[in-house]
PDB file of all heavy atoms in Angstrom:
ATOM      1  N   ASP A 117     -21.825  43.251 -44.004  1.00  0.00           N
ATOM      2  CA  ASP A 117     -22.289  43.659 -45.331  1.00  0.00           C
ATOM      3  C   ASP A 117     -21.296  43.217 -46.401  1.00  0.00           C
ATOM      4  O   ASP A 117     -21.676  42.666 -47.446  1.00  0.00           O
ATOM      5  CB  ASP A 117     -22.463  45.190 -45.382  1.00  0.00           C
ATOM      6  CG  ASP A 117     -23.701  45.637 -44.603  1.00  0.00           C
ATOM      7  OD1 ASP A 117     -24.707  44.899 -44.641  1.00  0.00           O
ATOM      8  OD2 ASP A 117     -23.624  46.699 -43.951  1.00  0.00           O
ATOM      9  N   GLU A 147     -22.048  24.233 -39.699  1.00  0.00           N
ATOM     10  CA  GLU A 147     -21.249  23.016 -39.638  1.00  0.00           C
ATOM     11  C   GLU A 147     -20.246  22.989 -40.786  1.00  0.00           C
ATOM     12  O   GLU A 147     -20.586  23.320 -41.926  1.00  0.00           O
ATOM     13  CB  GLU A 147     -22.160  21.776 -39.724  1.00  0.00           C
ATOM     14  CG  GLU A 147     -21.388  20.484 -39.587  1.00  0.00           C
ATOM     15  CD  GLU A 147     -22.284  19.252 -39.655  1.00  0.00           C
ATOM     16  OE1 GLU A 147     -23.520  19.417 -39.723  1.00  0.00           O
ATOM     17  OE2 GLU A 147     -21.733  18.134 -39.643  1.00  0.00           O
ATOM     18  N   ASN A 226      16.727  -6.509 -10.644  1.00  0.00           N
ATOM     19  CA  ASN A 226      15.629  -7.402 -10.234  1.00  0.00           C
ATOM     20  C   ASN A 226      15.586  -7.654  -8.724  1.00  0.00           C
ATOM     21  O   ASN A 226      14.768  -8.466  -8.270  1.00  0.00           O
ATOM     22  CB  ASN A 226      15.692  -8.736 -10.984  1.00  0.00           C
ATOM     23  CG  ASN A 226      15.521  -8.549 -12.489  1.00  0.00           C
ATOM     24  OD1 ASN A 226      14.726  -7.749 -12.931  1.00  0.00           O
ATOM     25  ND2 ASN A 226      16.307  -9.296 -13.260  1.00  0.00           N
ATOM     26  N   HIS A 289       4.305   2.491  22.877  1.00  0.00           N
ATOM     27  CA  HIS A 289       3.400   2.639  24.030  1.00  0.00           C
ATOM     28  C   HIS A 289       2.156   1.807  23.797  1.00  0.00           C
ATOM     29  O   HIS A 289       1.608   1.800  22.680  1.00  0.00           O
ATOM     30  CB  HIS A 289       3.005   4.121  24.231  1.00  0.00           C
ATOM     31  CG  HIS A 289       1.962   4.320  25.261  1.00  0.00           C
ATOM     32  ND1 HIS A 289       2.164   4.014  26.582  1.00  0.00           N
ATOM     33  CD2 HIS A 289       0.691   4.795  25.172  1.00  0.00           C
ATOM     34  CE1 HIS A 289       1.072   4.300  27.287  1.00  0.00           C
ATOM     35  NE2 HIS A 289       0.151   4.765  26.441  1.00  0.00           N
ATOM     36  N   SER A 392      31.924   7.561  39.036  1.00  0.00           N
ATOM     37  CA  SER A 392      33.133   8.130  39.655  1.00  0.00           C
ATOM     38  C   SER A 392      33.290   9.604  39.259  1.00  0.00           C
ATOM     39  O   SER A 392      33.699  10.439  40.078  1.00  0.00           O
ATOM     40  CB  SER A 392      34.374   7.339  39.234  1.00  0.00           C
ATOM     41  OG  SER A 392      34.503   7.337  37.833  1.00  0.00           O
TER      42      SER A 392
END
Side-chain angles (χ1 to χ4, degrees):
D117 287 324
E147 183 180 356
N226 298 320
H289 173 63
S392 58

